[in-house]
């Protein structure tokens, strides 16, 4: 086998293994099995709906956070609430990075119900109680999809 063939084979294996870990999943998969996705990072693709900027909110430690917002990400199977926590400790006025109707790829950490912890609501950060069924994706990275992705 030539050196070029060996290099191509190595690149193919590395390239395909890296891509499979970030392959988008459907929102329905998360909603059907939220426990298996709790605190796991996932990649989702969909359309942004109902972007809602939030007022500054204060964490229990006393730090105030600015520029947070909520939105729904909708794919062909369902929709999920997405939280963008904003910047904490840095007073700033910032519009959301996305707009209603925009197609995006989202890397997010999933928070499933019955684990306690916190979630972002219209009233700021709230403590999740055991009986609350809040499934929320916390945005780690938002990437607008290229124009050719919008038509799909």
């Amino acid at each position: 086998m030539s050196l070029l063939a060996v290099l191509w084979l190595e690149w193919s294996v590395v390239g395909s293994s890296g891509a499979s870990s970030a392959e988008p999943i459907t929102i329905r998969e998360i909603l059907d099995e939220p426990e298996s996705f709790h605190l796991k990072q996932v990649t989702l693709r969909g359309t942004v709906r109902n972007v809602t900027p939030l007022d500054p909110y204060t964490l229990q430690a006393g730090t105030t956070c600015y520029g947070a917002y909520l939105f729904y990400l909708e794919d062909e199977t369902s929709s999920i609430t997405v939280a963008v926590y904003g910047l904490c400790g840095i007073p700033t006025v910032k519009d959301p990075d996305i707009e209603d109707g925009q197609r995006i790829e989202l890397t997010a950490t999933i928070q499933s119900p019955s684990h306690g912890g916190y979630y972002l609501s219209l009233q700021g950060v709230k403590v999740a109680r055991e009986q609350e069924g809040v499934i929320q994706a916390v945005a780690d990275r938002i990437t607008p999809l290229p124009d050719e992705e919008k038509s799909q």
Side-chain angles (χ1 to χ4, degrees), residues 25 30 37 39-44 71 73 80-83 105-111 136-142:
I25 63 170
I30 295 168
F37 289 100
L39 297 182
K40 296 209 170 111
Q41 193 175 65
V42 299
T43 300
L44 303 167
F71 66 94
L73 185 66
I80 192 168
T81 303
V82 179
E105 182 171 279
L106 172 70
T107 303
T109 302
I110 301 301
Q111 294 179 338
Q136 188 172 75
V138 178
D140 297 319
R141 187 181 74 230
I142 298 172

Side-chain angles (χ1 to χ4, degrees), residues 48-122:
V48 172
R49 301 284 183 225
N50 301 325
V51 179
T52 306
L54 302 177
D55 290 334
Y57 62 92
T58 304
L59 300 174
Q60 283 184 333
T63 305
T64 302
C65 302
Y66 304 85
Y69 57 96
L70 297 171
F71 66 94
Y72 290 100
L73 185 66
E74 176 182 272
D75 69 8
E76 62 281 350
T77 66
S78 196
S79 66
I80 192 168
T81 303
V82 179
V84 178
Y85 282 111
L87 299 171
C88 296
I90 303 170
T92 185
V93 175
K94 183 178 179 310
D95 290 330
D97 299 318
I98 54 168
E99 57 188 45
D100 201 77
Q102 185 176 12
R103 297 255 318 138
I104 63 168
E105 182 171 279
L106 172 70
T107 303
T109 302
I110 301 301
Q111 294 179 338
S112 70
S114 301
H115 283 92
Y118 299 91
Y119 66 94
L120 194 57
S121 75
L122 294 175

Side-chain angles (χ1 to χ4, degrees), residues 6-23:
V6 170
L7 289 175
W8 181 84
L9 183 59
E10 287 178 7
W11 178 81
S12 297
V13 170
V14 169
S16 65
S17 66
S20 64
S21 65
E23 285 298 313

Side-chain angles (χ1 to χ4, degrees), residues 20-34:
S20 64
S21 65
E23 285 298 313
I25 63 170
T26 65
I27 294 169
R28 175 56 46 203
E29 290 176 73
I30 295 168
L31 298 180
D32 286 347
E33 297 287 335

